[in-house]
Amino acid sequence: MTRMSLFNSPLLLGFDHVERVLDRVAKSANDGYPPYNIEQTGDQSLRITLAVAGFEDRDLSVTVEENQLVIRGRRGEEDSERIFLHRGIATRQFQRAFVLAEGIEVDDARLDNGLLHIDLNRPTSETLVKTIPIRSKQEEAKPMIDGRKAKEATDE
């Protein structure tokens, strides 16, 4: 059975990477550990907060890999002398990934009272407009030498 693509329109050129990103998001959305919040902290800034009770800063890593924010947690060896009558605080290893839009930057990550806060920022950018010159059919026939028409290059 073939899968129907949302991006197979001839008007959507170069969007195959968007489809791959959506597939990754769909696969990672099923795991609920660790729980997290995403809040807007300013016009161009966000904060992701993960509940990582029981983890220390040395047990956590925050990386950006191909426009994907990846948070990993792995606890070291536990004290084997401890005997738990009930163990309700999950400290299993995890990997949580967030797909970042183009231009989003990670500013800071800090651990505070069992919460890992990751601050993100989208710097404002100027709109770039590029005009593409349209050549006539006569100009197409003349070969280019060093970015100039052949006639201009030979006149020198």
Side-chain angles (χ1 to χ4, degrees):
M1 179 175 167
T2 60
R3 193 174 131 222
M4 186 66 168
S5 173
L6 298 172
F7 298 98
N8 62 356
S9 168
L11 301 176
L12 298 173
L13 301 175
F15 283 91
D16 52 330
H17 69 284
V18 174
E19 189 171 17
R20 287 193 302 270
V21 167
L22 292 174
D23 286 342
R24 277 191 297 200
V25 169
K27 289 176 186 174
S28 68
N30 297 333
D31 187 19
Y33 181 77
Y36 64 92
N37 292 335
I38 301 175
E39 62 182 300
Q40 186 167 357
T41 56
D43 289 341
Q44 299 294 320
S45 57
L46 301 168
R47 176 175 294 140
I48 299 173
T49 302
L50 288 89
V52 292
F55 287 88
E56 297 181 32
D57 54 353
R58 68 175 177 262
D59 300 328
L60 301 167
S61 72
V62 178
T63 58
V64 176
E65 304 167 11
E66 297 180 11
N67 282 2
Q68 194 169 14
L69 174 66
V70 180
I71 301 105
R72 293 180 178 91
R74 184 180 185 117
R75 290 278 316 254
E77 293 296 318
E78 292 197 20
D79 185 6
S80 60
E81 295 179 15
R82 296 171 71 183
I83 300 172
F84 290 95
L85 300 178
H86 172 75
R87 187 161 188 169
I89 300 173
T91 56
R92 65 183 185 266
Q93 70 180 12
F94 69 87
Q95 176 174 312
R96 171 71 72 181
F98 299 90
V99 177
L100 301 177
E102 192 73 30
I104 296 283
E105 298 174 354
V106 178
D107 284 343
D108 188 35
R110 66 188 179 290
L111 187 62
D112 182 31
N113 293 324
L115 298 174
L116 177 63
H117 302 284
I118 303 168
D119 292 327
L120 308 171
N121 185 30
R122 180 194 304 256
T124 56
S125 60
E126 295 180 23
T127 304
L128 177 65
V129 176
K130 180 179 177 182
T131 303
I132 310 300
I134 301 172
R135 297 185 295 143
S136 68
K137 190 166 186 137
Q138 289 99 9
E139 290 176 303
E140 288 179 15
K142 297 177 185 174
M144 301 290 276
I145 299 174
D146 294 331
R148 297 178 292 165
K149 295 177 195 155
K151 174 85 172 130
E152 295 171 7
T154 56
D155 287 343
E156 294 176 1

